[in-house]
């Protein structure tokens, strides 16, 4: 929905001087052209920027009359935007790192006293994705980042939103965490993936020390073709998942058998409907504990759902035994 409140007034003023004294085209001195202003909303408040524009007055220059804006302006906000880059960065982090929804991001920005509407949050999230894509295509920056470690370890994986859609292949450097290449492919054959690896190999100035991926056949063949002699390792997650598959199947079967023995919760809840005494509240608590145990799944193979269910049901049974023993002692 659009913003219904008025645009807030600036509570800070910042003068941005222009350090471009020579024309980039003809190297002749530039002249002060104008001094406009713009308002930018940041996480620290609303800032009014006073900009010093300069231009070339050489009649023979190809950039005659073109206004040169201060370089510091690009560090604060994008052109024609009323929100700063820090707001865009926060929106991207909340969305992709913390998996927040648009309304949740809007609520967080409102808590930080940033006056913005939900539709603008969506637009700024698009700008964030565009900036990330642009940074991935900056070859010089990627070479500079990967050169710090002196080598790279590549991780490759494909993401497919649904059956029949294009697969987004992502190649990332494990040491720096930078995404080196992201490209959608209609097919995932050996030759297609080998071309992606060749493209990354041509981009880098440091050696490739290893590569990590899942056990997909086309990936293994592509690595053998494009990166001969480079160690290729199955990623720990896929390795652990494959190794723990027999345990997962046995645990899943055990959980099914346990669920068969714990049935009839709903009839018990119906019997105490309308009661508000202490006994009824206690019964509702035990029913809720059993229902929660039945629906709470773990993350196999590190968290076995069947063993987890058995442990929680055992604790519920022990609690019921203690209640029964206390009642028996009181009756005696």
């Amino acid at each position: 929905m659009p913003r219904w409140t008025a645009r807030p007034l600036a509570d800070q003023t910042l003068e941005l001087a222009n350090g471009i004294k020579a024309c980039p085209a003809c190297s002749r001195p530039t002249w002060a052209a104008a001094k406009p202003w713009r308002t930018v909303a940041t996480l620290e408040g609303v800032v009014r920027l006073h900009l010093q524009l300069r231009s070339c007055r050489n009649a023979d220059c190809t950039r005659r009359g073109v206004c040169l804006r201060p370089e510091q302006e690009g560090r604060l906000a994008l052109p024609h935007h009323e929100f700063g880059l820090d707001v865009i960065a926060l929106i991207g982090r909340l969305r992709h790192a913390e998996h927040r929804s648009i309304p949740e991001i809007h609520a967080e920005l409102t808590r930080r006293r940033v006056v913005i509407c939900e539709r603008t949050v969506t637009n700024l999230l698009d700008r964030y994705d565009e900036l990330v894509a642009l940074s991935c295509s900056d070859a010089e920056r990627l070479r500079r980042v990967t050169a710090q470690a002196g080598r790279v370890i590549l991780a490759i994986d494909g993401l497919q939103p649904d059956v029949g859609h294009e697969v987004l292949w992502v190649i990332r450097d494990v040491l720096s965490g930078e995404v080196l290449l992201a490209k959608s492919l209609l097919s995932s054959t050996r030759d297609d993936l080998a071309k992606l690896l060749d493209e990354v190999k041509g981009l880098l100035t440091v050696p490739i020390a290893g590569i990590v991926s899942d056990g997909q056949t086309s990936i293994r063949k592509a690595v053998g073709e494009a990166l001969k002699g480079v160690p290729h390792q199955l990623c720990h997650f896929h390795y652990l998942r494959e190794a723990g598959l027999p345990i997962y199947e046995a645990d899943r079967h055990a959980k099914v058998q346990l669920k068969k023995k714990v049935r009839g919760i709903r009839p018990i809840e119906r019997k105490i409907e309308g009661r508000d005494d202490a006994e009824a509240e206690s019964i509702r608590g035990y029913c809720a504990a059993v229902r929660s145990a039945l629906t709470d799944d773990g993350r196999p193979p590190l968290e076995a759902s069947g063993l987890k269910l058995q442990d929680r049901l055992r604790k519920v049974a022990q609690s019921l035994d203690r209640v029964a023993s206390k009642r028996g002692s009181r009756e005696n």
Side-chain angles (χ1 to χ4, degrees):
M1 60 182 296
R3 186 180 65 196
W4 293 98
T5 58
R7 185 177 183 181
L9 299 176
D11 51 12
Q12 305 176 44
T13 302
L14 186 61
E15 298 281 344
L16 297 184
N18 198 325
I20 306 177
K21 304 298 182 181
C23 176
C26 66
S27 300
R28 298 282 292 274
T30 58
W31 296 70
K35 197 170 184 180
W37 58 270
R38 61 181 293 194
T39 303
V40 177
T42 67
L43 297 178
E44 304 298 329
V46 182
V47 184
R48 184 168 183 171
L49 303 179
H50 291 272
L51 312 173
Q52 177 63 65
L53 305 186
R54 304 182 70 88
S55 64
C56 180
R57 297 185 180 180
N58 182 13
D60 299 329
C61 181
T62 57
R63 297 181 60 88
R64 181 178 182 270
V66 177
C67 291
L68 304 175
R69 306 176 73 89
E71 296 179 350
Q72 299 90 335
E73 182 187 8
R75 300 178 181 177
L76 298 174
L78 295 174
H80 313 295
H81 279 63
E82 63 174 303
F83 292 94
L85 290 173
D86 56 349
V87 177
I88 298 177
L90 177 62
I91 291 175
R93 180 177 66 83
L94 292 176
R95 178 60 175 173
H96 298 293
E98 302 184 13
H99 307 288
R100 304 245 193 128
S101 63
I102 297 299
E104 290 174 338
I105 297 175
H106 177 259
E108 175 63 20
L109 292 174
T110 303
R111 188 186 67 81
R112 293 172 178 255
R113 299 181 180 180
V114 178
V115 180
I116 190 173
C117 66
E118 289 188 12
R119 183 172 59 186
T120 303
V121 173
T122 303
N123 295 336
L124 294 182
L125 182 60
D126 294 337
R127 302 292 83 75
Y128 175 85
D129 294 336
E130 293 170 357
L131 291 174
V132 172
L134 182 62
S135 67
C136 292
S137 62
D138 188 354
E140 291 299 327
R141 187 189 70 86
L142 294 177
R143 292 191 185 100
R144 185 172 61 254
V145 171
T146 54
Q148 296 178 0
R151 60 193 178 102
V152 295
I153 298 177
L154 302 181
I156 179 173
D157 198 5
L159 309 174
Q160 189 174 23
D162 201 356
V163 178
H165 289 220
E166 293 183 349
V167 179
L168 175 63
W169 286 96
V170 179
I171 301 179
R172 183 175 63 90
D173 175 28
V174 177
L175 299 180
S176 64
E178 287 289 334
V179 176
L180 304 179
L181 182 65
K183 184 174 293 185
S184 297
L185 297 177
L186 288 173
S187 62
S188 303
T189 62
R190 178 194 62 183
D191 296 336
D192 294 331
L193 299 181
K195 290 179 181 179
L196 296 182
L197 294 173
D198 287 334
E199 186 174 348
V200 172
K201 184 178 179 181
L203 171 70
L204 300 173
T205 57
V206 294
I208 300 176
I211 186 166
V212 181
S213 72
D214 58 19
Q216 187 172 332
T217 304
S218 58
I219 297 180
R220 296 202 304 265
K221 293 182 178 180
V223 171
E225 178 180 338
L227 302 175
K228 294 181 179 180
V230 176
H232 185 192
Q233 176 181 314
L234 193 67
C235 76
H236 293 169
F237 171 78
H238 291 88
Y239 184 86
L240 182 61
R241 186 183 65 180
E242 296 297 329
L245 185 59
I247 301 176
Y248 165 73
E249 292 295 339
D251 179 77
R252 185 174 64 86
H253 177 71
K255 185 175 182 180
V256 172
Q257 298 302 319
L258 283 173
K259 285 185 175 182
K260 291 180 179 180
K261 297 181 179 181
V262 188
R263 291 181 177 177
I265 299 177
R266 187 56 185 158
I268 298 176
E269 292 174 333
R270 288 197 183 99
K271 291 181 180 180
I272 59 174
E273 286 182 354
R275 293 175 50 183
D276 56 358
D277 55 288
E279 183 181 9
E281 291 298 326
S282 178
I283 294 174
R284 290 192 186 95
Y286 279 109
C287 291
V290 174
R291 192 182 299 277
S292 175
L294 294 175
T295 57
D296 188 10
D297 293 329
R299 293 183 177 180
L302 298 181
E303 295 181 8
S305 301
L307 295 177
K308 187 175 182 180
L309 175 60
Q310 182 186 22
D311 181 64
R312 296 183 66 172
L313 292 178
R314 178 178 55 81
K315 292 180 179 178
V316 172
Q318 291 175 352
S319 178
L320 288 172
D321 292 339
R322 287 194 298 268
V323 172
S325 62
K326 290 181 180 178
R327 175 175 294 184
S329 61
R330 290 176 182 176
E331 291 177 355
N332 296 331

